[in-house]
C-alpha cells in the first residue's frame, strides 16, 4: 500500500480527527440529534506507510485501541475478538488501497443474519400471520439500469471476510451529491457481543452484468466494481443495536439499521450519487403497515441456494411482526432471499407517491421464507441527520 493522497489531505484528516464533532456520537451512543461530541478518526490511504501522523492523533487513536504500527504490519488480517473497537466513538476504518480485489470480493461470505424463532412475537404487540414465501427473482441486468442505488458492503470480522447489501441514499446537506449509504446495523457492528467491523467498503452495482460466479474468477476489478470501491470513513448505528443486538436479533432487531458515509478509494471530485446517477430518499414517516400496498426488497443473497454474486428482489404486501410490546413493529414480507441480502433496501411509495427507502433487510427464520425489517422512525432519522450534518 502506497500513499495516494497529498500530505495536505492527511493533515486535514488529522485535524478532523482531533475536532469534536458537533453531531458525532458519544461513547456508547448511536449519534442521534442530541449525541455528545467525540473524537472520530478517519485516516486516508497510505497513512500507516511512511507519512508522519501528528503525535496528538496517534495518542487519540491509541485511546481507542488502534495501533498504527500493528495495522501497517498486517494486523487487519489477524485480530482477536477482544480487540474489538466497540463504542460509537471508536469507529476507525482507514483505506487500504486494493484490499478488496475481485477474488476477495467474490470469496467473501455472508455474515450470520439474525434469525428468529418462527413463533417469536406471538401474543406480543401486533403480529400478522406468517406470510407465504415469495420466490426471489433475479434483478434485471445491467443492475445500473434496474437497481442503480443498490450494491454490496464488504467488511472483515474475526471469522474472515463477509458481505452484506446496501443502498445509496440522499444527503440533505448535499443535494445531488450524496456520499451516504444505508445498510443494516449488524453489517457494521456485531452488537452486544462485539464491536465495529473493519475494512468496511461499498461497491455500487456489484457485478453489473449479472455474470455467474465462474465467470468472475480472475475478472478485472472494473468488471465487478464498475463504479469503484467506496470506503466508509464514518458509520453510525443505533445505541439499541450496539447494546442489545445479537445473532438472533435480540431486542435490537427493530433498530437494526446503519448509515455509512463513504469516500472513493482512488479519490476524485465526484460524489457517490453523481457517480452512480441516483440516490433514494429515506421515508421516516411511512404509512402504517396495513396501508402499504407493496414493498420491494433488493439484495445480494449469498447463502445457499444463492452464491452472492447476483442481485435479487422480492415484492410483497407487508405484514407486521412485533418482537416485544415496547418496541416498534417491524415490516415483514414473504421472500426466499438468504444471508448476504442483509442491509438491502426496502422500497415503497413515500408520502409524495415516489419510490423511497422505508426499511432494510434485518432478520429472518433459519429456513428462508420471509424477511423482516425495521420500520424507520425517530431513532433512524437521528442517525441519518447526524451523519449528514457531520460532513457539511
Amino acid at each position: 500500500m502506497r500513499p495516494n493522497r497529498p500530505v495536505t489531505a492527511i493533515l486535514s484528516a488529522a485535524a478532523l480527527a482531533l475536532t469534536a464533532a458537533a453531531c458525532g456520537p458519544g461513547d456508547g451512543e448511536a449519534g442521534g440529534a442530541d449525541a455528545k461530541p467525540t473524537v472520530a478518526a478517519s485516516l486516508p490511504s497510505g497513512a500507516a506507510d511512511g507519512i508522519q501522523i501528528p503525535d496528538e492523533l496517534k495518542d487519540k487513536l491509541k485511546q481507542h485501541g488502534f495501533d498504527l504500527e500493528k495495522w501497517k504490519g498486517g494486523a487487519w488480517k489477524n485480530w482477536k475478538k477482544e480487540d474489538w473497537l466497540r463504542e460509537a466513538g471508536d469507529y476507525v476504518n482507514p483505506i487500504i488501497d486494493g484490499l478488496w480485489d475481485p477474488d476477495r470480493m467474490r470469496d467473501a461470505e455472508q455474515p450470520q443474519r439474525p434469525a428468529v424463532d418462527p413463533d417469536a412475537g406471538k401474543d406480543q404487540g401486533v403480529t400478522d400471520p406468517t406470510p407465504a414465501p415469495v420466490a426471489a427473482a433475479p434483478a434485471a441486468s445491467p443492475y445500473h439500469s434496474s437497481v442503480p442505488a443498490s450494491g454490496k458492503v464488504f467488511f472483515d470480522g474475526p471469522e474472515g471476510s463477509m458481505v452484506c447489501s446496501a443502498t445509496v441514499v440522499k444527503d440533505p446537506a448535499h443535494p445531488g451529491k450524496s456520499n451516504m449509504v444505508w445498510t443494516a446495523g449488524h453489517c457494521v457492528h456485531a452488537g452486544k457481543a462485539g464491536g465495529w467491523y473493519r475494512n468496511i467498503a461499498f461497491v455500487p452495482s456489484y457485478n453489473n452484468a449479472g455474470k455467474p460466479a465462474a465467470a468472475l474468477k480472475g475478472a478485472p476489478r472494473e468488471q465487478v466494481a464498475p463504479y469503484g470501491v467506496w470506503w466508509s470513513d464514518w458509520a453510525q448505528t443505533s445505541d439499541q443495536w450496539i447494546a442489545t443486538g445479537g445473532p438472533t436479533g435480540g431486542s435490537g432487531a427493530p433498530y437494526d439499521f446503519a448509515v455509512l458515509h463513504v469516500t472513493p478509494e482512488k479519490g476524485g471530485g465526484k460524489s457517490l450519487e453523481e457517480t452512480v446517477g441516483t440516490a433514494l430518499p429515506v421515508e421516516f414517516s411511512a404509512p402504517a403497515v396495513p396501508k402499504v400496498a407493496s414493498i420491494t426488497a433488493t439484495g445480494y443473497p449469498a447463502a445457499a441456494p444463492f452464491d452472492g454474486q447476483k442481485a435479487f428482489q422480492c415484492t410483497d404486501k407487508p405484514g407486521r411482526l412485533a418482537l416485544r410490546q415496547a418496541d416498534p413493529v417491524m415490516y415483514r414480507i414473504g421472500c426466499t432471499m438468504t444471508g448476504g441480502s442483509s442491509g438491502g433496501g426496502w422500497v415503497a411509495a413515500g408520502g409524495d407517491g415516489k419510490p423511497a427507502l422505508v426499511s432494510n433487510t434485518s432478520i429472518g427464520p433459519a429456513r428462508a421464507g420471509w424477511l423482516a425489517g425495521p420500520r424507520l422512525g425517530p431513532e433512524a432519522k437521528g442517525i441519518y441527520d447526524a451523519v449528514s450534518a457531520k460532513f457539511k
Side-chain angles (χ1 to χ4, degrees):
M1 176 178 71
R2 290 187 179 141
N4 66 353
R5 296 193 189 177
V7 174
T8 53
I10 291 167
L11 294 179
S12 295
L16 173 64
L18 293 172
T19 301
C23 293
D27 285 351
E29 294 185 338
D34 298 323
K36 298 179 225 177
T38 188
V39 170
S42 173
L43 302 181
S45 176
D49 283 352
I51 292 182
Q52 295 298 313
I53 303 298
D55 289 339
E56 287 180 281
L57 176 55
K58 289 182 180 178
D59 291 342
K60 293 294 183 182
L61 292 176
K62 287 180 181 178
Q63 288 175 19
H64 290 290
F66 188 83
D67 190 319
L68 281 171
E69 292 304 315
K70 288 183 179 179
W71 194 270
K72 181 173 62 175
W76 57 268
K77 298 179 183 176
N78 182 22
W79 54 294
K80 302 175 182 178
K81 287 187 177 181
E82 56 264 31
D83 292 336
W84 286 109
L85 298 177
R86 173 170 173 74
E87 304 300 342
D90 289 348
Y91 184 76
V92 179
N93 195 55
I95 294 172
I96 300 178
D97 193 7
L99 173 66
W100 291 109
D101 60 41
D103 289 340
R104 198 164 187 265
M105 290 185 202
R106 188 191 67 247
D107 294 339
E109 299 180 359
Q110 80 283 353
Q112 182 178 3
R113 183 181 68 195
V116 295
D117 185 312
D119 292 328
K122 272 188 178 178
D123 302 322
Q124 299 177 37
V126 180
T127 295
D128 294 320
T130 302
V134 172
S141 60
Y143 301 144
H144 185 253
S145 296
S146 62
V147 286
S150 298
K152 295 180 73 171
V153 170
F154 296 90
F155 55 98
D156 286 320
E159 288 77 30
S161 299
M162 294 181 282
V163 66
C164 275
S165 302
T167 307
V168 184
V169 295
K170 290 187 177 296
D171 179 355
H174 300 281
K177 297 183 178 182
S178 175
N179 284 309
M180 290 171 59
V181 174
W182 194 283
T183 189
H186 75 265
C187 297
V188 300
H189 193 288
K192 65 180 179 181
W196 295 104
Y197 293 122
R198 298 181 180 177
N199 304 322
I200 302 172
F202 174 66
V203 177
S205 294
Y206 173 83
N207 185 22
N208 191 39
K211 292 189 175 183
L216 297 180
K217 190 172 183 179
R221 203 181 197 205
E222 57 268 22
Q223 180 175 311
V224 296
Y227 299 95
V229 176
W230 296 72
W231 284 72
S232 173
D233 52 5
W234 190 254
Q236 289 184 215
T237 186
S238 68
D239 55 352
Q240 292 93 338
W241 178 259
I242 289 175
T244 63
T248 57
S251 57
Y255 305 93
D256 184 14
F257 40 74
V259 178
L260 309 178
H261 186 275
V262 298
T263 188
E265 180 176 281
K266 299 295 184 181
K270 285 189 176 182
S271 66
L272 175 60
E273 182 177 359
E274 291 172 301
T275 300
V276 303
T278 192
L280 284 174
V282 183
E283 179 61 74
F284 297 104
S285 56
V289 177
K291 295 181 180 179
V292 180
S294 69
I295 285 179
T296 297
T298 303
Y300 284 80
F306 306 97
D307 62 12
Q309 307 310 308
K310 297 181 180 181
F312 285 81
Q313 295 183 301
C314 291
T315 299
D316 195 17
K317 181 174 176 58
R320 295 163 288 191
L321 176 65
L323 299 181
R324 296 195 316 169
Q325 182 73 40
D327 288 335
V329 171
M330 301 180 74
Y331 288 120
R332 182 163 63 162
I333 61 172
C335 186
T336 60
M337 284 198 289
T338 58
S341 62
S342 289
W346 290 28
V347 177
D352 59 1
K354 297 179 180 179
L357 186 138
V358 298
S359 186
N360 57 263
T361 297
S362 172
I363 59 176
R367 294 184 179 181
W370 57 263
L371 299 174
R375 187 168 182 270
L376 308 181
E379 296 85 359
K381 189 175 189 305
I383 291 170
Y384 175 79
D385 288 345
V387 175
S388 175
K390 183 177 179 62
F391 291 88
K392 274 188 176 179

